[in-house]
Amino acid sequence: MDHLKAAIRTIPDYPKPGIQFRDVTTLLGDAGAFRAAVDAMVHPFAGKKIDSVAGIEARGFILGGAVAHQLSVGFVPVRKKGKLPYRTIGQSYELEYGVDEVEIHVDAVRPGERVLIVDDLIATGGTAEAAIRLLRQAGAEIVGCSFVIDLPDLGGARRLEALDVAVTSLVSFEGD
C-alpha cells in the first residue's frame, strides 16, 4: 500500500499549527491510485452480504459511491444536519469545541439491512461513531467501517471496535 500512501498529500499546519493534514484529494485525482484504493476497500467485503454502503460527508461520498458501485449495492449519504431534503433522523456528536450532528433520511435503510460505512479518514472517530449509532437507530446492522487512512495515535479505530464494529484501513500515519 506504499503507492497509496505516496498518493496522499500532507499539508503541514492545516487547519491549524501543529496539524499534519492528510489530503486524499490527490489520491482521488490519480486514476490508478483511486482504482487501487477502491478495489482494496472492497476486497475484505467481497462475497459478504451487504445491502448498502453509507458514505460520510463529503469525501466518504466519493469513496462510498465507488465502493457501492463495485459491490452492486445502494448508497446512503450520511450528511451534516440540515442538508437532506426529506424527513431525517439525526445523531449528535462532540467536537473539540462544541457539538455537531449527522443525519440520514428516515427511509434510508430498512430494519436488518447490512450496511458498510465508508470514509476517507479515521482520526478520533467521533463522526464515524455518530454514523454507527444513527444507522443502528434506523435498524441497520453495521458490517464494518472502511477507511483509506487511519491516524492510530488518535484512537478512532479502537473507539469503533469498542462498539463491536470491524474497522479496516488501507494506510496509517503514525504520530498524527
Side-chain angles (χ1 to χ4, degrees), residues 15-17 19 93-100 124 126-127 154 159:
K16 62 183 185 179
I19 301 292
Y93 61 100
E94 291 189 27
L95 298 168
E96 189 176 353
Y97 299 104
V99 175
D100 209 344
T124 63
T127 309
L154 298 180
R159 182 175 179 175

Side-chain angles (χ1 to χ4, degrees), residues 1 9 15 30 32-33 42 44 46 52 65 70 82 91 95 98 111 132 151-152 156-157 159 165 168 170-171:
M1 294 297 161
R9 174 175 36 211
D30 177 326
V42 167
S52 62
Q70 290 291 93
Q91 176 69 47
L95 298 168
I132 290 166
L151 303 180
R159 182 175 179 175
V165 174
T168 62
L170 306 183
V171 301

Side-chain angles (χ1 to χ4, degrees), residues 120-133:
D120 67 323
L121 180 139
I122 179 76
T124 63
T127 309
E129 179 180 350
I132 290 166
R133 293 187 186 285

Side-chain angles (χ1 to χ4, degrees), residues 53-74:
V53 170
I56 300 173
E57 188 172 338
R59 290 170 297 275
F61 290 178
I62 299 163
L63 292 158
V67 168
H69 173 76
Q70 290 291 93
L71 292 172
S72 298
V73 299

Side-chain angles (χ1 to χ4, degrees), residues 8 14 30 47 50 59 74 88 100 102 106 125 132 136 144 146 160:
I8 297 166
Y14 181 85
D30 177 326
I50 296 174
R59 290 170 297 275
T88 61
D100 209 344
V102 290
V106 295
I132 290 166
R136 283 180 172 166
S146 183
L160 303 185

Side-chain angles (χ1 to χ4, degrees), residues 15-169:
K16 62 183 185 179
I19 301 292
Q20 297 291 311
F21 185 82
R22 305 305 178 171
D23 180 15
V24 75
T25 62
T26 49
L27 179 144
L28 299 174
D30 177 326
F34 185 27
R35 177 61 187 239
V38 170
D39 288 347
M41 293 177 90
V42 167
H43 182 74
F45 302 98
K48 292 189 178 179
K49 183 182 178 334
I50 296 174
D51 298 306
S52 62
V53 170
I56 300 173
E57 188 172 338
R59 290 170 297 275
F61 290 178
I62 299 163
L63 292 158
V67 168
H69 173 76
Q70 290 291 93
L71 292 172
S72 298
V73 299
F75 178 79
V76 176
V78 178
R79 300 224 50 195
K80 301 257 178 165
K81 183 176 177 66
K83 299 287 188 176
L84 292 169
Y86 187 60
R87 291 190 327 264
T88 61
I89 56 172
Q91 176 69 47
S92 62
Y93 61 100
E94 291 189 27
L95 298 168
E96 189 176 353
Y97 299 104
V99 175
D100 209 344
E101 188 171 343
V102 290
E103 296 179 324
I104 60 173
H105 282 136
V106 295
D107 59 357
V109 296
R110 295 173 308 284
E113 191 167 319
R114 295 173 52 84
V115 177
L116 170 63
I117 297 172
V118 172
D119 204 359
D120 67 323
L121 180 139
I122 179 76
T124 63
T127 309
E129 179 180 350
I132 290 166
R133 293 187 186 285
L134 176 60
L135 288 157
R136 283 180 172 166
Q137 176 187 339
E141 178 185 336
I142 307 304
V143 175
C145 289
S146 183
F147 304 95
V148 173
I149 302 167
D150 181 19
L151 303 180
D153 294 346
L154 298 180
R158 290 186 304 278
R159 182 175 179 175
L160 303 185
E161 289 163 350
L163 296 172
D164 200 27
V165 174
V167 177
T168 62
S169 59

